[in-house]
Amino acid sequence: MCRSLMKSFLYRLPRCKWLLATTTTMCLAGSCGNKTQGEGKSQEPSNLEKSPPALDHHGLTSPNQEHGEKEVPSKADSGNDDNEKRASAPRRLLPFDSRRAMLDFFESKGPVMRFRRASQESSEMAASKAPSLPPLPSPSGDDAITNVQVQGVDEGGIVKIHGEHLVVLRRGRLFTIHLKPEGNKPVDRIDVPLPGERGGWYDELLVAGDVIVVIGYSYAVGATEITLFSIDSKGYLTRKGRFFVRSNDYYSSRNYASRLIGTTLILYVPLTLRWAANMPILPAIRGEGRGIGDDWREIVVAERTYKPIQSGWQTTLHTVFRCDLASVAFEGSPRCEADVIVAPWSRTFYVSRNAVYLWVRGRPHFQASLENDDVENDESSTVRGKPDAVVYRLPLDGSAPGALQVYGQPIDALSFDEAQDGYLDVLVQSGQGGDAMWESESASGDFAIARLPIKAMNPSVPLVSVRRYTPLPRPSGWNVRNRFVGDWLLYGSANSSHPGRDQLYVLPVRGQALEARPGKRRWIELDLGHSVERIEALGNDALAIGRDANSLVFSPIRFDGGEAKLLKPWRRPQSAQSESRTHAFFFRQDGPYEGIVGLPMRSSLGSAQAFRHGFRGGGSAGVLFLRFREDAFSELGVLWANPHASLNDNCLASCVDWYGNARPIFWRGRVFALLGYELIEGKIEGERMVEVERTNFLQGTISREGEGVKEKPRFAPIDGVDPTIGE
């Protein structure tokens, strides 16, 4: 049972249903005012450009090579605020000199359990550089069924496609369904945990070629669990193996722990050094065996573990794995390498096609400072206005990481966008602590957008001037949603206590849209008349979804030059979206300004908590489908869950749907709704969605509209499950 513990112990909690709002207001660059949340519709931004440091041509200060040195202005600096006092830079971002130096540092933080070193000859996951193999093409067009942030970067979810087979991860089991033209057929199922195991949460699924990867977290072991399966052309599953990576729980209410680019699996896991005095604190791996003793093998390599350059709350090993899944077919296990950033606990991470970005804030709930026993700094380190965070860039080609000193904290992964012009654009705010667990659900403080030059991210860790930040209005609510759509940034808030009070702020970030607003205010404020619970791309346009007092509202936004125009909103009375995950939405684009939207919804209003997260309200009632045509929405219909199909599935693991349980699926011209254990196929006839077939893949039963159950169970019964329930 969850209890309301002190915030400093939140990282120990096993996914309790508890959201801790941030109440401490911090300010970017030390420009705090006495503002409080919820004062009117919007708050004008505070001035973040007071006393900026001198700049080079990137808008950066040149860091000292050694602490205590006096900085000599470069030619690029001359004449630019020479008399202003500059903040000292931290040490360079360098790996530990040796294994002994690394262990000495870790032992200064707490007890260390020594593990055997991982070797390339080991049959387990090798901590060596993965070979260069040709990547598989990323799903695109009719084979892309996941609403991802970055095209070509797949994200771990609950449903994927393999050929003509749908692969579903549901409550600790994998299922495959053959999407045949003449009808959908359940093919296979397999338990992810071994018989008798308990305490695991299996959250994310990825498919690379014929390899299926399931990412989970085991509280029994205290590690991230990576389970591998193979799938053949007929949809049958075979267990290949399993590995545990010692870590804390990676869970985030908005982010995903895993990504897939071609055949490369990218996995982020954190491990706090002071997690528990009697626990091992170094990242390590072990294989299929069930023992939790000395069969662990170290994966921390000094040459790829980087010394701390920040201070802050709870020193943490932020580990990013890159694993080649193509090697599974040849070697039976993936070949992996890992980079470890030693930094404070508060973090937000984002994956582009080129790099992993890790934004880490020091002292996330106090005035920023760069001094403690981890980092040497001169007396100026506590000067008000010092940067309070570092953004790390870990290139996916395995080259050395770089970093920048920055201000504030992004809200979640959607706050990032790696632009094609060589900049990283990031929406930050001053009072938030990263995207771990439910941290992203509570935002506060001042807002700004930063344009950070990617080429400047290097081991010398230069300081970004506040001139690289554009102050922005602060939303009135505490639950902020944001997203980049093309060259535009949109953000707004969902305040469940005062629906209808929140605004949507839209601003051009770069390109022709920005050039088209000379002399105008940077941002555009749109009065939607409803809260902002979701922001999505609608082709080249955008879509804001939320609620007014009684309805679920879809508000399309058209971008035209340097302007953003609100098109005609569409309302569905007595309804609300039932899931907040990005994967719960999908837009199938059928033309430049035409397509179909799918979104899980409920047909009657209930508690705000139930509507914000589908897993807290007992599941989704149906998937709503809308057509967008001629700048307006029209309803096609809803594919509803069977209200009589609720059954006891004898759940062994993952018995709470933390990632939701409903998805709209568009595949090769066909339309589906995944609702719990049901896969419902629909067909668009004119301007109406009609149900074609309903498959219960837990029971293995199939029924067609007007014909009842056509086939009896195809599987052996699961103990405790009555296969006739719901017929």
Side-chain angles (χ1 to χ4, degrees):
M1 179 180 296
C2 295
R3 294 174 293 181
S4 296
L5 303 180
M6 294 174 59
K7 183 171 182 61
S8 60
F9 296 103
L10 175 61
Y11 67 96
R12 299 186 187 181
L13 296 179
R15 296 195 187 177
C16 60
K17 298 180 183 179
W18 177 65
L19 175 65
L20 183 60
T22 301
T23 57
T24 303
T25 299
M26 295 182 301
C27 294
L28 296 167
S31 57
C32 259
N34 295 321
K35 300 176 182 178
T36 58
Q37 299 180 46
E39 295 177 351
K41 288 188 175 181
S42 65
Q43 297 290 339
E44 290 298 317
S46 59
N47 181 8
L48 303 182
E49 299 189 5
K50 294 179 180 179
S51 303
L55 309 175
D56 65 10
H57 63 286
H58 286 303
L60 309 169
T61 61
S62 301
N64 299 330
Q65 297 298 314
E66 297 292 336
H67 292 285
E69 290 185 8
K70 293 184 178 179
E71 187 173 21
V72 179
S74 64
K75 291 182 179 180
D77 290 329
S78 61
N80 292 330
D81 305 320
D82 287 329
N83 296 324
E84 292 181 350
K85 188 172 185 179
R86 301 179 187 180
S88 66
R91 292 177 296 189
R92 292 171 58 87
L93 181 63
L94 297 173
F96 285 95
D97 298 327
S98 65
R99 173 176 164 78
R100 180 67 264 166
M102 179 182 69
L103 288 177
D104 286 345
F105 170 78
F106 290 150
E107 287 174 342
S108 71
K109 299 298 177 185
V112 178
M113 178 179 285
R114 304 295 177 83
F115 303 115
R116 292 175 290 160
R117 298 293 305 277
S119 64
Q120 293 185 358
E121 293 76 18
S122 171
S123 61
E124 298 178 357
M125 194 185 311
S128 60
K129 186 173 179 63
S132 298
L133 295 176
L136 294 177
S138 299
S140 60
D142 286 346
D143 285 330
I145 67 170
T146 305
N147 178 32
V148 297
Q149 179 181 5
V150 179
Q151 293 302 313
V153 181
D154 200 5
E155 300 164 350
I158 64 171
V159 58
K160 298 294 175 181
I161 196 76
H162 175 266
E164 295 184 344
H165 294 91
L166 206 63
V167 184
V168 181
L169 175 64
R170 172 86 168 123
R171 292 165 71 91
R173 295 185 178 100
L174 276 179
F175 300 85
T176 58
I177 304 104
H178 191 181
L179 305 180
K180 302 175 68 175
E182 63 272 19
N184 307 308
K185 302 282 186 179
V187 176
D188 202 5
R189 73 176 179 219
I190 190 170
D191 292 345
V192 179
L194 294 176
E197 289 185 339
R198 296 290 189 273
W201 294 97
Y202 302 100
D203 301 308
E204 301 184 10
L205 159 72
L206 286 165
V207 177
D210 296 332
V211 177
I212 296 174
V213 182
V214 176
I215 308 297
Y217 188 81
S218 172
Y219 277 94
V221 180
T224 296
E225 185 174 339
I226 306 169
T227 310
L228 303 174
F229 300 88
S230 64
I231 180 171
D232 63 19
S233 60
K234 297 181 179 180
Y236 289 103
L237 301 168
T238 303
R239 189 184 188 92
K240 299 290 291 185
R242 178 174 63 170
F243 307 92
F244 292 96
V245 180
R246 176 72 70 187
S247 71
N248 300 133
D249 193 346
Y250 54 75
Y251 177 79
S252 168
S253 64
R254 297 193 187 180
N255 210 341
Y256 304 92
S258 60
R259 305 291 195 277
L260 184 70
I261 303 177
T263 61
T264 301
L265 171 68
I266 301 165
L267 179 67
Y268 167 78
V269 293
L271 181 62
T272 303
L273 291 184
R274 291 173 178 171
W275 185 15
N278 60 346
M279 295 287 287
I281 63 171
L282 294 185
I285 65 169
R286 69 173 178 84
E288 189 76 60
R290 301 190 185 188
I292 57 174
D294 60 357
D295 57 342
W296 290 89
R297 295 176 180 269
E298 281 184 19
I299 54 175
V300 176
V301 178
E303 293 77 10
R304 301 194 73 93
T305 302
Y306 293 86
K307 302 175 184 178
I309 57 174
Q310 293 176 268
S311 67
W313 182 64
Q314 291 296 340
T315 300
T316 299
L317 306 184
H318 301 276
T319 305
V320 176
F321 289 92
R322 295 185 301 278
C323 299
D324 175 34
L325 298 180
S327 63
V328 174
F330 306 102
E331 304 175 19
S333 63
R335 302 185 65 186
C336 299
E337 61 180 354
D339 287 309
V340 182
I341 300 295
V342 183
W345 180 77
S346 178
R347 82 280 179 174
T348 310
F349 79 98
Y350 157 75
V351 182
S352 72
R353 291 187 64 90
N354 304 305
V356 177
Y357 294 90
L358 182 68
W359 189 297
V360 182
R361 190 169 192 175
R363 303 191 184 280
H365 300 288
F366 304 94
Q367 177 63 38
S369 169
L370 290 176
E371 63 172 3
N372 77 348
D373 56 340
D374 294 348
V375 182
E376 288 184 20
N377 289 286
D378 60 23
E379 293 180 357
S380 67
S381 64
T382 57
V383 172
R384 189 175 179 82
K386 287 294 297 287
D388 56 358
V390 172
V391 57
Y392 302 86
R393 184 179 189 270
L394 288 74
L396 294 179
D397 61 7
S399 57
L404 289 175
Q405 299 178 69
V406 288
Y407 302 90
Q409 183 82 29
I411 299 167
D412 53 32
L414 297 177
S415 303
F416 294 81
D417 190 37
E418 186 187 73
Q420 296 181 357
D421 61 2
Y423 286 82
L424 180 68
D425 296 311
V426 191
L427 175 67
V428 299
Q429 51 90 50
S430 61
Q432 196 268 339
D435 64 5
M437 290 295 179
W438 291 276
E439 291 282 353
S440 294
E441 304 301 332
S442 177
S444 62
D446 295 325
F447 280 67
I449 185 169
R451 295 219 79 203
L452 308 177
I454 294 174
K455 288 185 178 180
M457 298 179 184
N458 61 66
S460 65
V461 199
L463 169 64
V464 173
S465 168
V466 293
R467 290 181 177 178
R468 286 248 166 234
Y469 286 70
T470 300
L472 297 174
R474 183 174 60 189
S476 61
W478 49 266
N479 189 272
V480 176
R481 300 286 167 171
N482 66 143
R483 190 157 193 149
F484 286 88
V485 177
D487 291 337
W488 294 79
L489 168 67
L490 304 92
Y491 70 99
S493 62
N495 189 329
S496 58
S497 299
H498 304 283
R501 283 182 49 188
D502 302 293
Q503 309 299 297
L504 180 69
Y505 298 98
V506 186
L507 66 148
V509 178
R510 54 188 177 254
Q512 295 180 356
L514 181 60
E515 295 171 359
R517 294 186 62 82
K520 296 183 180 180
R521 190 173 66 174
R522 180 69 177 274
W523 64 88
I524 301 166
E525 185 174 334
L526 297 179
D527 186 1
L528 301 181
H530 64 81
S531 64
V532 180
E533 297 178 346
R534 177 184 294 273
I535 301 172
E536 301 287 354
L538 199 67
N540 295 324
D541 297 325
L543 174 62
I545 301 175
R547 286 182 295 134
D548 59 17
N550 299 301
S551 303
L552 173 64
V553 189
F554 290 71
S555 293
I557 295 99
R558 169 67 44 79
F559 300 124
D560 184 8
E563 299 297 327
K565 301 177 181 179
L566 177 63
L567 302 180
K568 182 180 179 181
W570 181 87
R571 285 174 165 80
R572 194 177 201 279
Q574 296 298 306
S575 302
Q577 72 163 351
S578 59
E579 298 198 14
S580 59
R581 286 275 179 184
T582 56
H583 293 177
F585 173 92
F586 201 91
F587 174 63
R588 188 188 77 183
Q589 188 166 4
D590 299 329
Y593 300 102
E594 181 178 350
I596 298 175
V597 163
L599 179 71
M601 52 82 68
R602 294 181 183 279
S603 60
S604 60
L605 293 177
S607 69
Q609 185 183 46
F611 284 119
R612 282 182 40 248
H613 297 287
F615 56 78
R616 297 183 179 183
S620 297
V623 175
L624 171 67
F625 293 94
L626 304 178
R627 185 188 296 280
F628 184 66
R629 178 188 289 167
E630 297 179 353
D631 297 346
F633 282 108
S634 61
E635 181 173 346
L636 294 172
V638 180
L639 294 178
W640 297 101
N642 183 354
H644 305 294
S646 178
L647 52 81
N648 177 14
D649 61 358
N650 195 24
C651 182
L652 301 177
S654 296
C655 298
V656 176
D657 294 321
W658 295 107
Y659 280 56
N661 60 22
R663 299 289 186 269
I665 299 171
F666 299 89
W667 180 76
R668 298 183 183 179
R670 298 165 69 182
V671 182
F672 303 88
L674 177 66
L675 291 159
Y677 287 115
E678 290 187 301
L679 180 68
I680 307 165
E681 182 169 3
K683 183 179 181 180
I684 300 174
E685 295 183 351
E687 296 301 313
R688 179 169 165 263
M689 177 74 71
V690 297
E691 181 179 324
V692 175
E693 183 177 276
R694 183 179 297 261
T695 303
N696 188 310
F697 50 86
L698 175 69
Q699 300 167 332
T701 59
I702 302 170
S703 61
R704 294 182 178 88
E705 186 68 14
E707 301 180 11
V709 176
K710 296 291 292 183
E711 296 192 19
K712 293 298 181 182
R714 299 172 55 85
F715 304 136
I718 297 174
D719 291 341
V721 176
D722 181 357
T724 65
I725 296 178
E727 294 185 12

